[in-house]
Amino acid sequence: SAVISQKPSRDICQRGTSLTIQCQVDSQVTMMFWYRQQPGQSLTLIATANQGSEATYESGFVIDKFPISRPNLTFSTLTVSNMSPEDSSIYLCSVGTGYNEQFFGPGTRLTVL
Amino acid sequence: GENVEQHPSTLSVQEGDSAVIKCTYSDSASNYFPWYKQELGKRPQLIIDIRSNVGEKKDQRIAVTLNKTAKHFSLHITETQPEDSAVYFCAASSTQGGAGSYQLTFGKGTKLSVIP
């Protein structure tokens, strides 16, 4: 299966600032997704990262707060903008295969002070 | 949209016993049902999945069953071992095209503790 990496693995940020998280895959994949996992909670889909077009956001998530880029089939970024302590969470990217399985990156643990 | 309910939220079993986790889903268009295992501080790991054209799938000590009519599916772990201790998530998705295809909707998770 694909090797998925994320940068940074963790960060501590001040409120009001922004953080960009990178997701890199070692092979071309059609589908990439971004999830949020708050402490002790389940995974919630933020958006589907579409190559060459705007991301598709889920209810409750907006582009101004979570802009996403996907310039090619192996790379995507998620930015968490104007952060508040409520944004403290683990952010995970995942990639989808042609057989519908999804595999997750190692996650980025974000703490906002 | 899809809604996935998962029970129980916590489960403790003695080593060697079996564990069963159950999920229900709401969208009859869902046709793909994966299970993930997440150890503390690690990423969710796909351990088994089932598609709507089969009723049961087994891989060594783990098995998954699907009842499309009742819209529920279950994870069965036999001969549990301490290393099975983790949080398990069920999920559902539709692959039939259109908005929302291939997106996973997760249950809230089950924390399984296997007591040596």
Side-chain angles (χ1 to χ4, degrees):
Chain A
S1 58
V3 176
I4 309 165
S5 59
Q6 281 186 238
K7 288 185 196 179
S9 58
R10 57 178 64 225
D11 208 341
I12 301 172
C13 301
Q14 296 296 321
R15 68 171 67 210
T17 63
S18 298
L19 176 72
T20 295
I21 302 167
Q22 298 179 4
C23 179
Q24 179 76 54
V25 191
D26 69 344
S27 59
Q28 293 187 344
V29 292
T30 305
M31 316 201 91
M32 293 182 79
F33 304 90
W34 287 97
Y35 289 83
R36 181 172 73 182
Q37 186 175 31
Q38 295 180 305
Q41 304 292 313
S42 185
L43 295 96
T44 301
L45 180 65
I46 298 171
T48 303
N50 301 309
Q51 194 265 330
S53 64
E54 197 170 280
T56 305
Y57 290 84
E58 296 302 299
S59 176
F61 298 97
V62 295
I63 187 171
D64 290 346
K65 176 67 175 177
F66 297 102
I68 287 170
S69 78
R70 188 162 176 209
N72 56 51
L73 293 176
T74 64
F75 185 78
S76 179
T77 67
L78 167 75
T79 299
V80 186
S81 302
N82 188 24
M83 289 184 285
S84 66
E86 293 71 38
D87 294 319
S88 296
S89 191
I90 297 172
Y91 292 86
L92 299 117
C93 67
S94 75
V95 302
T97 73
Y99 300 99
N100 312 121
E101 301 109 330
Q102 281 189 34
F103 298 96
F104 285 86
T108 295
R109 183 179 295 271
L110 171 63
T111 302
V112 184
L113 302 177
Chain B
E2 177 64 276
N3 182 50
V4 177
E5 300 281 342
Q6 182 172 347
H7 299 280
S9 57
T10 60
L11 179 60
S12 291
V13 299
Q14 292 289 331
E15 182 177 358
D17 287 350
S18 296
V20 180
I21 303 170
K22 299 183 179 182
C23 290
T24 60
Y25 62 98
S26 61
D27 188 350
S28 57
S30 289
N31 57 5
Y32 174 67
F33 308 92
W35 287 87
Y36 288 84
K37 174 184 180 182
Q38 188 174 32
E39 297 174 80
L40 191 63
K42 302 285 183 65
R43 74 185 82 186
Q45 215 174 0
L46 178 65
I47 56 172
I48 195 167
D49 56 17
I50 191 167
R51 301 173 196 275
S52 59
N53 57 344
V54 298
E56 184 173 356
K57 184 177 178 181
K58 190 173 182 180
D59 183 3
Q60 299 183 337
R61 295 187 297 107
I62 60 173
V64 58
T65 59
L66 171 65
N67 183 327
K68 285 177 57 180
T69 303
K71 294 185 191 165
H72 68 69
F73 56 111
S74 300
L75 178 71
H76 305 253
I77 306 174
T78 59
E79 301 171 26
T80 53
Q81 301 167 3
E83 50 265 38
D84 294 328
S85 295
V87 178
Y88 291 81
F89 293 99
C90 64
S93 80
S94 168
T95 61
Q96 293 182 354
S101 292
Y102 303 97
Q103 295 171 356
L104 292 175
T105 300
F106 284 84
K108 293 190 183 300
T110 297
K111 183 176 181 181
L112 173 65
S113 300
V114 180
I115 304 163

